[in-house]
Amino acid sequence: MQELVSIIVPCYNEEKVLPELLEKLDSLARSVPECGFEFIFVDDGSADGTRRILERAAQRDARVRALVLSRNFGQQIAATAGIDIARGDGVVLMDSDLQDPPEVVAEMIARWREGYEIVYGARATRDADSWFKRVSARLFAALLNTLTDCPIPPDAGDFRLMSRQVVEVLKNMPERHRFLRGMVAWTGFRQTSVPYDRPERFAGETKYTLRKMVGFAFDGLFSFSTKPLKLSIVLGLLVTGLAVLGIVYALVLRIFTSVWVEGWTLLFIAILLLGGVQLVSLGIIGQYVGRIYSEVQRRPLYVVREMVGFSQERDRAQAQDRAREQAQDRAAGRARDRAADGQSGDRQ
Ligand code: UDP
Ligand code: MG
């Protein structure tokens, strides 16, 4: 049976890149004729012409579907919405700006068909990214790896192919603060990577503001590790140790030289240090408490305003197309077999 591959693309104000991406996806589908494709675009509350372009594309091409969210929910949630609705045997997650080149997907599909359940794109080079982005990404990967027990590949983003089995596990992970690459790594299936050079964004600007980046890093950290809580214990112990030293020093001075520890300076330093350590610890605990709170509210992860191109007639039409293609493939296969039989018969 022909396998279906779903390609999921979260888009936030991406009118400049979508026409090119649609073309590239079409050539990808043509370069992998052995698979059927569906392209699921998730409009993450765009304010530009993104929705219009997607609607037109869906009218032209039965493989294109668009999920329009009611507002901007962020890339990770938009991707989750796509994953929830994808029907493919293999599901690919990619950015819209061609920084995850669609050509690489052909290679991913090949590895998946070899039997790997997760195939992720490993950034061989990322010269196109800014200096700040590269350094912060490397630091973050190092921090994450020391703090978490789950091996998250440091050179990978969210560009990956997942098998249906992985997707079903992912769909059963309802957490709100989503760090998809970690969640996929957590599932523990067999994974491999396909190296690729990460080009520059095709057009438009990055949609990841510094604030979004920090929020994302926090999600990775706090969703995958409780070690920051231990850090606050360590900090507390250190300060307590310092306090004991201070007490001994003050008492010894008073008893043996009958002078008080001098000055405001020491007092000032002690107050600031204690205040700082306490606030940091409180902040760390606050992160976890806040996450527990939003988790127990149990609100839906996203709100879909509109589904474009998801009608049953289209599904049927697509199924018929695929059946026809399969029949043609089979006929071609039989013809090949007959020709091969004929040849071997000649030889006998
Ligand atoms: N994106 C999104 N919602 C957001 C931010 C980004 O759907 O709130 C999408 C964006 O349209 C793109 C992908 O996520 O397809 C990656 O974003 P971008 O290329 O701006 O990030 P960068 O590559 O700079 O990290
Ligand atoms: Mg990008």
Coordinates of all heavy atoms in Angstrom, one line a residue, residues 213-290:
M213 N 11.9 33.4 22.6 CA 13.1 32.5 22.7 C 13.3 32.1 24.1 O 13.6 31.0 24.5 CB 14.3 33.1 22.1 CG 14.7 32.5 20.8 SD 15.7 33.6 19.8 CE 17.2 33.6 20.7
V214 N 13.3 33.2 25.0 CA 13.5 32.9 26.4 C 12.4 32.0 27.0 O 12.7 31.0 27.7 CB 13.6 34.2 27.2 CG1 13.6 34.0 28.7 CG2 14.8 35.0 26.8
G215 N 11.2 32.3 26.6 CA 10.0 31.5 27.0 C 10.2 30.0 26.6 O 10.0 29.1 27.4
F216 N 10.7 29.8 25.4 CA 10.9 28.5 24.8 C 12.0 27.8 25.6 O 11.9 26.6 26.0 CB 11.3 28.7 23.4 CG 11.5 27.4 22.6 CD1 10.5 26.4 22.6 CD2 12.6 27.1 21.9 CE1 10.6 25.2 21.9 CE2 12.8 26.0 21.3 CZ 11.8 25.0 21.2
A217 N 13.1 28.5 25.9 CA 14.2 27.9 26.7 C 13.7 27.5 28.0 O 14.0 26.4 28.5 CB 15.3 28.9 26.8
F218 N 12.9 28.3 28.7 CA 12.3 28.0 30.0 C 11.5 26.8 29.9 O 11.6 25.9 30.8 CB 11.5 29.2 30.5 CG 12.3 30.1 31.3 CD1 13.6 30.5 31.0 CD2 11.8 30.7 32.5 CE1 14.4 31.4 31.7 CE2 12.5 31.6 33.2 CZ 13.8 31.9 32.8
D219 N 10.7 26.7 28.9 CA 9.8 25.5 28.7 C 10.7 24.2 28.6 O 10.3 23.2 29.2 CB 8.9 25.6 27.5 CG 7.7 26.5 27.7 OD1 7.5 26.8 28.9 OD2 7.1 26.9 26.8
G220 N 11.8 24.3 27.9 CA 12.6 23.2 27.7 C 13.2 22.7 29.1 O 13.2 21.6 29.5
L221 N 13.7 23.8 29.8 CA 14.3 23.5 31.1 C 13.4 23.0 32.1 O 13.6 21.9 32.7 CB 14.9 24.9 31.5 CG 16.2 24.9 32.2 CD1 17.2 24.3 31.2 CD2 16.6 26.3 32.5
F222 N 12.3 23.7 32.3 CA 11.4 23.3 33.4 C 10.5 22.1 33.1 O 10.0 21.5 34.0 CB 10.6 24.5 33.9 CG 11.4 25.6 34.5 CD1 11.6 26.8 33.9 CD2 12.1 25.4 35.7 CE1 12.4 27.8 34.4 CE2 12.9 26.3 36.2 CZ 13.0 27.6 35.6
S223 N 10.3 21.8 31.8 CA 9.5 20.7 31.5 C 10.3 19.4 31.6 O 9.7 18.3 31.6 CB 8.9 20.8 30.1 OG 8.1 22.0 30.0
F224 N 11.6 19.5 31.5 CA 12.4 18.3 31.4 C 13.3 18.1 32.5 O 14.1 17.2 32.5 CB 13.1 18.3 30.0 CG 12.2 17.8 29.0 CD1 11.5 18.7 28.2 CD2 12.1 16.5 28.7 CE1 10.6 18.3 27.3 CE2 11.2 16.0 27.7 CZ 10.4 16.9 27.0
S225 N 13.2 18.9 33.5 CA 14.1 18.8 34.6 C 13.6 19.4 35.9 O 12.9 20.4 35.9 CB 15.5 19.5 34.3 OG 16.3 19.4 35.4
T226 N 13.8 18.7 37.0 CA 13.5 19.3 38.3 C 14.8 19.7 39.1 O 14.8 20.0 40.2 CB 12.7 18.4 39.2 OG1 13.3 17.1 39.2 CG2 11.2 18.2 38.7
K227 N 15.9 19.6 38.3 CA 17.2 19.9 39.0 C 17.3 21.4 39.4 O 17.9 21.6 40.5 CB 18.3 19.6 38.0 CG 18.6 18.1 38.0 CD 19.9 17.7 37.4 CE 19.9 16.2 37.2 NZ 20.6 15.8 36.0
P228 N 16.6 22.4 38.8 CA 16.7 23.7 39.3 C 16.2 23.8 40.8 O 16.7 24.6 41.5 CB 15.8 24.5 38.4 CG 15.9 23.8 37.1 CD 16.0 22.3 37.4
L229 N 15.3 22.9 41.2 CA 14.8 22.9 42.6 C 15.9 22.5 43.5 O 16.1 23.0 44.6 CB 13.6 21.9 42.7 CG 12.3 22.4 42.2 CD1 11.3 21.3 42.2 CD2 11.8 23.6 43.0
K230 N 16.7 21.5 43.0 CA 17.9 21.1 43.8 C 18.9 22.2 43.9 O 19.6 22.4 44.9 CB 18.5 19.8 43.2 CG 17.6 18.6 43.4 CD 18.2 17.4 42.8 CE 17.1 16.4 42.6 NZ 17.2 15.6 41.4
L231 N 19.0 23.0 42.8 CA 19.9 24.1 42.8 C 19.6 25.1 43.9 O 20.5 25.6 44.6 CB 19.8 24.8 41.4 CG 20.8 25.9 41.3 CD1 22.2 25.4 41.0 CD2 20.4 26.8 40.1
S232 N 18.3 25.3 44.2 CA 18.0 26.2 45.2 C 18.3 25.7 46.6 O 18.7 26.4 47.5 CB 16.5 26.7 45.2 OG 15.6 25.6 45.3
I233 N 18.3 24.3 46.8 CA 18.8 23.8 48.0 C 20.3 24.0 48.2 O 20.7 24.4 49.2 CB 18.5 22.2 48.0 CG1 17.0 22.0 48.0 CG2 19.1 21.6 49.3 CD1 16.6 20.5 48.1
V234 N 21.0 23.8 47.1 CA 22.4 23.9 47.1 C 22.8 25.4 47.5 O 23.6 25.7 48.3 CB 23.1 23.6 45.7 CG1 24.5 23.9 45.7 CG2 22.9 22.1 45.5
L235 N 22.1 26.3 46.8 CA 22.3 27.7 47.1 C 22.0 28.0 48.6 O 22.8 28.7 49.3 CB 21.3 28.6 46.3 CG 21.8 29.0 44.9 CD1 20.7 29.8 44.2 CD2 23.0 29.9 45.1
G236 N 20.9 27.5 49.1 CA 20.6 27.7 50.5 C 21.6 27.1 51.4 O 22.0 27.8 52.4
L237 N 22.1 26.0 51.1 CA 23.2 25.4 51.9 C 24.4 26.2 51.9 O 25.1 26.4 53.0 CB 23.5 23.9 51.5 CG 22.4 22.9 51.8 CD1 22.7 21.5 51.2 CD2 22.2 22.8 53.3
L238 N 24.8 26.7 50.7 CA 26.0 27.5 50.6 C 25.9 28.7 51.5 O 26.8 29.1 52.3 CB 26.2 27.9 49.2 CG 26.9 26.9 48.3 CD1 27.0 27.5 46.8 CD2 28.3 26.7 48.8
V239 N 24.7 29.4 51.4 CA 24.6 30.6 52.2 C 24.6 30.3 53.7 O 25.1 31.0 54.5 CB 23.3 31.3 51.7 CG1 23.0 32.5 52.6 CG2 23.4 31.8 50.3
T240 N 23.9 29.2 54.0 CA 23.9 28.8 55.4 C 25.4 28.5 55.9 O 25.7 29.0 57.0 CB 23.1 27.5 55.6 OG1 21.8 27.7 55.0 CG2 22.9 27.2 57.1
G241 N 26.2 27.9 55.1 CA 27.6 27.7 55.4 C 28.3 29.0 55.7 O 29.0 29.1 56.7
L242 N 28.0 29.9 54.8 CA 28.6 31.3 54.9 C 28.2 31.9 56.2 O 29.0 32.5 57.0 CB 28.2 32.2 53.8 CG 29.1 32.3 52.6 CD1 28.5 33.2 51.5 CD2 30.4 32.9 53.0
A243 N 26.9 31.7 56.5 CA 26.4 32.3 57.8 C 27.1 31.7 59.0 O 27.4 32.5 59.9 CB 24.9 32.1 57.8
V244 N 27.3 30.4 59.0 CA 28.0 29.8 60.2 C 29.4 30.4 60.3 O 29.8 30.8 61.4 CB 28.1 28.3 60.0 CG1 28.9 27.6 61.0 CG2 26.7 27.7 60.0
L245 N 30.1 30.5 59.2 CA 31.4 31.1 59.3 C 31.4 32.5 59.9 O 32.2 32.9 60.7 CB 32.0 31.2 57.9 CG 32.5 29.9 57.3 CD1 33.1 30.1 55.9 CD2 33.5 29.2 58.2
G246 N 30.4 33.3 59.4 CA 30.2 34.6 59.9 C 29.9 34.7 61.4 O 30.5 35.5 62.1
I247 N 29.1 33.8 61.8 CA 28.7 33.8 63.2 C 30.0 33.4 64.1 O 30.3 34.1 65.1 CB 27.6 32.7 63.5 CG1 26.3 33.2 62.9 CG2 27.4 32.4 65.0 CD1 25.3 32.1 62.8
V248 N 30.7 32.4 63.7 CA 31.9 32.0 64.4 C 32.9 33.2 64.5 O 33.4 33.6 65.5 CB 32.6 30.8 63.8 CG1 34.0 30.6 64.4 CG2 31.7 29.6 63.9
Y249 N 33.1 33.9 63.3 CA 34.0 35.0 63.2 C 33.5 36.1 64.2 O 34.3 36.6 65.0 CB 34.0 35.5 61.8 CG 34.7 36.8 61.5 CD1 36.1 36.9 61.7 CD2 34.0 38.0 61.2 CE1 36.7 38.1 61.5 CE2 34.6 39.2 60.9 CZ 36.0 39.2 61.1 OH 36.7 40.4 60.9
A250 N 32.2 36.4 64.1 CA 31.7 37.5 65.0 C 31.9 37.2 66.5 O 32.3 38.0 67.3 CB 30.3 37.8 64.7
L251 N 31.6 36.0 66.8 CA 31.6 35.6 68.2 C 33.1 35.6 68.7 O 33.4 36.1 69.8 CB 31.0 34.2 68.5 CG 29.5 34.2 68.4 CD1 28.9 32.8 68.7 CD2 28.9 35.2 69.4
V252 N 34.0 35.0 67.9 CA 35.4 34.9 68.3 C 35.9 36.3 68.5 O 36.6 36.6 69.5 CB 36.2 34.1 67.2 CG1 37.7 34.3 67.4 CG2 35.9 32.7 67.3
L253 N 35.6 37.2 67.6 CA 36.1 38.6 67.7 C 35.6 39.2 69.0 O 36.3 39.9 69.7 CB 35.5 39.3 66.5 CG 36.4 40.5 66.0 CD1 37.7 39.9 65.4 CD2 35.7 41.2 64.8
R254 N 34.3 39.0 69.3 CA 33.7 39.6 70.4 C 34.3 39.1 71.7 O 34.6 39.8 72.7 CB 32.2 39.3 70.4 CG 31.4 39.8 71.6 CD 31.3 41.3 71.6 NE 30.7 41.8 72.8 CZ 31.3 42.7 73.6 NH1 32.5 43.1 73.4 NH2 30.6 43.1 74.7
I255 N 34.4 37.7 71.8 CA 34.9 37.1 73.0 C 36.4 37.4 73.3 O 36.7 37.7 74.4 CB 34.7 35.6 73.0 CG1 33.1 35.3 73.0 CG2 35.3 34.9 74.2 CD1 32.8 33.9 72.6
F256 N 37.2 37.3 72.3 CA 38.6 37.4 72.5 C 39.2 38.8 72.4 O 40.2 39.1 72.9 CB 39.4 36.4 71.6 CG 39.1 35.0 71.9 CD1 38.3 34.2 71.1 CD2 39.6 34.4 73.0 CE1 38.0 32.9 71.4 CE2 39.3 33.1 73.3 CZ 38.5 32.3 72.5
T257 N 38.5 39.6 71.6 CA 39.1 41.0 71.5 C 38.1 42.0 72.0 O 38.4 43.2 72.0 CB 39.4 41.4 70.0 OG1 38.2 41.4 69.3 CG2 40.4 40.3 69.4
S258 N 37.0 41.6 72.4 CA 35.9 42.4 72.9 C 35.5 43.6 72.0 O 35.2 44.6 72.5 CB 36.1 42.9 74.4 OG 37.2 43.7 74.4
V259 N 35.7 43.3 70.7 CA 35.1 44.3 69.8 C 34.0 43.7 69.0 O 34.0 42.5 68.7 CB 36.1 44.9 68.8 CG1 37.1 45.8 69.4 CG2 36.8 43.8 68.0
W260 N 33.0 44.5 68.6 CA 31.9 44.0 67.6 C 32.4 44.0 66.2 O 33.3 44.8 65.9 CB 30.7 44.9 67.7 CG 30.0 44.8 69.1 CD1 30.0 45.7 70.1 CD2 29.1 43.7 69.4 NE1 29.2 45.2 71.1 CE2 28.7 44.0 70.8 CE3 28.8 42.5 68.9 CZ2 27.8 43.2 71.5 CZ3 27.9 41.7 69.6 CH2 27.5 42.0 70.8
V261 N 31.9 43.1 65.4 CA 32.3 43.2 63.9 C 31.9 44.6 63.5 O 30.8 45.1 63.8 CB 31.5 42.2 63.1 CG1 31.8 42.4 61.6 CG2 31.8 40.8 63.6
E262 N 32.8 45.2 62.7 CA 32.6 46.6 62.4 C 31.8 46.7 61.2 O 31.8 45.9 60.2 CB 34.0 47.1 62.1 CG 34.7 47.6 63.3 CD 35.2 49.0 63.2 OE1 34.5 49.8 62.4 OE2 36.2 49.3 63.7
G263 N 31.0 47.7 61.2 CA 30.5 48.4 60.0 C 29.3 47.9 59.3 O 28.8 46.8 59.5
W264 N 28.8 48.8 58.5 CA 27.6 48.6 57.8 C 27.9 47.7 56.5 O 27.0 47.1 56.1 CB 27.0 49.9 57.3 CG 26.4 50.6 58.5 CD1 26.9 51.7 59.2 CD2 25.1 50.3 59.0 NE1 26.1 52.0 60.2 CE2 24.9 51.3 60.1 CE3 24.1 49.4 58.7 CZ2 23.8 51.3 60.9 CZ3 23.0 49.4 59.5 CH2 22.8 50.3 60.5
T265 N 29.1 47.8 56.1 CA 29.4 47.1 54.8 C 29.0 45.6 54.8 O 28.3 45.1 54.0 CB 30.9 47.2 54.5 OG1 31.3 48.5 54.9 CG2 31.2 46.9 53.1
L266 N 29.5 45.0 55.9 CA 29.2 43.6 56.0 C 27.7 43.3 56.1 O 27.2 42.4 55.4 CB 29.9 43.0 57.3 CG 30.3 41.6 57.2 CD1 31.2 41.3 56.1 CD2 30.9 41.1 58.5
L267 N 27.0 44.1 56.8 CA 25.6 44.0 57.0 C 24.9 44.1 55.7 O 24.0 43.3 55.3 CB 25.1 45.1 58.0 CG 23.8 44.8 58.8 CD1 24.1 43.5 59.6 CD2 23.5 45.9 59.7
F268 N 25.3 45.1 55.0 CA 24.8 45.5 53.7 C 24.9 44.3 52.7 O 24.0 43.8 52.1 CB 25.6 46.7 53.2 CG 25.0 47.3 52.0 CD1 23.7 48.0 52.0 CD2 25.6 47.4 50.8 CE1 23.2 48.6 50.9 CE2 25.1 48.0 49.7 CZ 23.9 48.6 49.7
I269 N 26.2 43.7 52.6 CA 26.5 42.6 51.8 C 25.6 41.4 52.1 O 25.0 40.8 51.3 CB 27.9 42.2 51.8 CG1 28.8 43.3 51.2 CG2 28.2 40.9 51.1 CD1 30.3 43.2 51.4
A270 N 25.5 41.2 53.5 CA 24.8 40.0 53.9 C 23.3 40.1 53.5 O 22.7 39.2 53.0 CB 24.9 39.8 55.4
I271 N 22.7 41.3 53.7 CA 21.3 41.4 53.4 C 21.1 41.2 51.9 O 20.2 40.5 51.5 CB 20.8 42.8 53.8 CG1 20.8 42.9 55.4 CG2 19.4 43.2 53.3 CD1 20.5 44.3 55.9
L272 N 21.9 41.9 51.1 CA 21.7 41.8 49.6 C 21.9 40.3 49.2 O 21.1 39.8 48.4 CB 22.7 42.6 48.9 CG 22.4 44.1 48.9 CD1 23.4 44.8 48.0 CD2 21.0 44.4 48.5
L273 N 22.9 39.6 49.7 CA 23.2 38.3 49.3 C 22.0 37.4 49.7 O 21.5 36.6 48.8 CB 24.4 37.7 50.0 CG 24.8 36.3 49.6 CD1 25.4 36.3 48.2 CD2 25.9 35.8 50.6
L274 N 21.5 37.5 50.9 CA 20.4 36.7 51.4 C 19.1 37.0 50.6 O 18.5 36.1 50.1 CB 20.1 37.0 52.8 CG 20.9 36.1 53.8 CD1 20.5 36.5 55.2 CD2 20.5 34.7 53.6
G275 N 18.9 38.3 50.4 CA 17.7 38.6 49.6 C 17.8 38.1 48.2 O 16.8 37.5 47.7
G276 N 18.9 38.2 47.6 CA 19.1 37.6 46.2 C 18.8 36.1 46.1 O 18.0 35.7 45.3
V277 N 19.5 35.4 47.0 CA 19.4 34.0 47.0 C 17.9 33.6 47.3 O 17.4 32.7 46.6 CB 20.3 33.3 48.1 CG1 19.9 31.9 48.3 CG2 21.7 33.5 47.6
Q278 N 17.3 34.3 48.2 CA 15.9 33.9 48.5 C 15.0 34.2 47.3 O 14.1 33.4 46.9 CB 15.4 34.7 49.7 CG 15.8 34.1 51.0 CD 15.5 35.0 52.2 OE1 15.1 36.1 52.0 NE2 15.8 34.5 53.3
L279 N 15.2 35.3 46.6 CA 14.3 35.6 45.5 C 14.5 34.7 44.3 O 13.6 34.2 43.7 CB 14.5 37.1 45.0 CG 13.9 38.1 45.9 CD1 14.2 39.5 45.4 CD2 12.4 37.9 46.1
V280 N 15.8 34.3 44.1 CA 16.0 33.3 43.0 C 15.4 32.0 43.3 O 14.7 31.4 42.5 CB 17.6 33.1 42.8 CG1 17.8 31.9 41.9 CG2 18.2 34.4 42.2
S281 N 15.5 31.5 44.6 CA 14.9 30.3 44.9 C 13.4 30.4 44.8 O 12.7 29.5 44.3 CB 15.2 29.9 46.4 OG 16.6 29.9 46.5
L282 N 12.8 31.5 45.2 CA 11.4 31.7 45.1 C 10.9 31.7 43.7 O 9.9 31.1 43.3 CB 11.0 33.0 45.8 CG 9.6 33.1 46.4 CD1 9.5 32.1 47.5 CD2 9.4 34.5 47.0
G283 N 11.8 32.3 42.8 CA 11.4 32.4 41.4 C 11.4 31.0 40.8 O 10.6 30.6 40.0
I284 N 12.4 30.2 41.2 CA 12.5 28.8 40.7 C 11.2 28.0 41.1 O 10.5 27.4 40.3 CB 13.8 28.1 41.2 CG1 15.0 28.7 40.5 CG2 13.7 26.6 40.8 CD1 16.3 28.2 41.0
I285 N 10.9 28.1 42.4 CA 9.7 27.4 42.8 C 8.5 28.0 42.1 O 7.6 27.2 41.6 CB 9.5 27.6 44.4 CG1 10.7 27.0 45.1 CG2 8.2 26.9 44.8 CD1 10.7 27.3 46.6
G286 N 8.5 29.3 41.9 CA 7.3 29.9 41.2 C 7.1 29.4 39.8 O 6.0 29.2 39.4
Q287 N 8.2 29.1 39.1 CA 8.1 28.6 37.8 C 7.3 27.3 37.8 O 6.4 27.0 37.0 CB 9.5 28.3 37.2 CG 10.2 29.5 36.6 CD 9.4 30.0 35.4 OE1 8.8 29.3 34.6 NE2 9.4 31.3 35.2
Y288 N 7.7 26.4 38.8 CA 7.0 25.1 38.8 C 5.6 25.3 39.3 O 4.7 24.7 38.7 CB 7.7 24.1 39.7 CG 9.1 23.7 39.1 CD1 10.3 24.3 39.5 CD2 9.1 22.7 38.2 CE1 11.4 23.9 38.9 CE2 10.3 22.3 37.6 CZ 11.5 22.9 38.0 OH 12.6 22.5 37.4
V289 N 5.3 26.1 40.3 CA 4.0 26.3 40.7 C 3.1 26.9 39.6 O 2.0 26.4 39.4 CB 3.9 27.3 42.0 CG1 2.5 27.6 42.4 CG2 4.7 26.6 43.1
G290 N 3.6 27.9 38.9 CA 2.8 28.5 37.8 C 2.5 27.4 36.8 O 1.4 27.4 36.2

